[in-house]
């Protein structure tokens, strides 16, 4: 039986990561669509290579904050953390982890 609040189990952590990744992919695709960018996005895709501008990145950051109901600390708002879906996923998981407990 899996009980909530006992994070750390590999299967639970994997499911949380997959959920975060899917939500980030959805947000990225929505921002690309709003910016009339047609691209196949994967977790490792470099967003600048896809064609996302700096304004698109700002829009993406705001939508990620809204999607996950969090405010990113200034030190987390770096090009490295918004380089790819995978990088954003790591940053969000760190933020969600540090916010609980």
């Amino acid at each position: 039986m899996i009980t909530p609040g006992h994070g750390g189990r590999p299967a639970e952590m994997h499911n949380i990561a997959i959920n975060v990744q899917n939500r980030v992919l959805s947000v990225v695709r929505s921002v690309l669509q709003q910016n009339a960018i047609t691209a196949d996005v994967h977790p490792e895709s470099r967003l600048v290579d896809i064609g996302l501008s700096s304004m698109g990145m700002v829009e993406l950051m705001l939508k990620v904050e809204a999607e996950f109901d969090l405010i990113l600390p200034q030190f987390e708002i770096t090009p490295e953390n918004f380089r790819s879906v995978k990088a954003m996923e790591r940053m969000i998981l760190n933020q969600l982890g540090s916010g609980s407990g």
Side-chain angles (χ1 to χ4, degrees):
M1 178 175 168
I2 297 174
T3 56
H6 294 338
R9 290 192 179 123
E12 286 178 53
M13 295 306 290
H14 179 72
N15 290 342
I16 291 167
I18 293 298
N19 176 273
V20 168
Q21 184 177 95
N22 288 338
R23 288 167 67 189
V24 171
L25 276 167
S26 175
V27 170
V28 168
R29 287 179 179 133
S30 131
V31 171
L32 291 175
Q33 184 178 13
Q34 286 176 351
N35 287 280
I37 298 170
T38 325
D40 196 15
V41 184
H42 303 284
E44 300 296 336
S45 302
R46 289 178 46 90
L47 300 178
V48 292
D49 293 346
I50 288 173
L52 203 55
S53 67
S54 56
M55 286 307 292
M57 289 291 194
V58 170
E59 189 180 344
L60 177 61
M61 180 204 65
L62 295 172
K63 286 185 177 280
V64 163
E65 286 182 328
E67 172 68 25
F68 291 95
D69 192 27
L70 52 84
I71 296 172
L72 295 171
Q74 192 66 41
F75 69 88
E76 291 285 14
I77 302 170
T78 64
E80 295 79 27
N81 281 341
F82 286 86
R83 178 182 60 242
S84 67
V85 169
K86 200 74 174 157
M88 285 187 287
E89 175 191 335
R90 276 191 300 271
M91 173 190 60
I92 291 163
L93 287 169
N94 286 338
Q95 288 303 303
L96 295 175
S98 67
S100 61

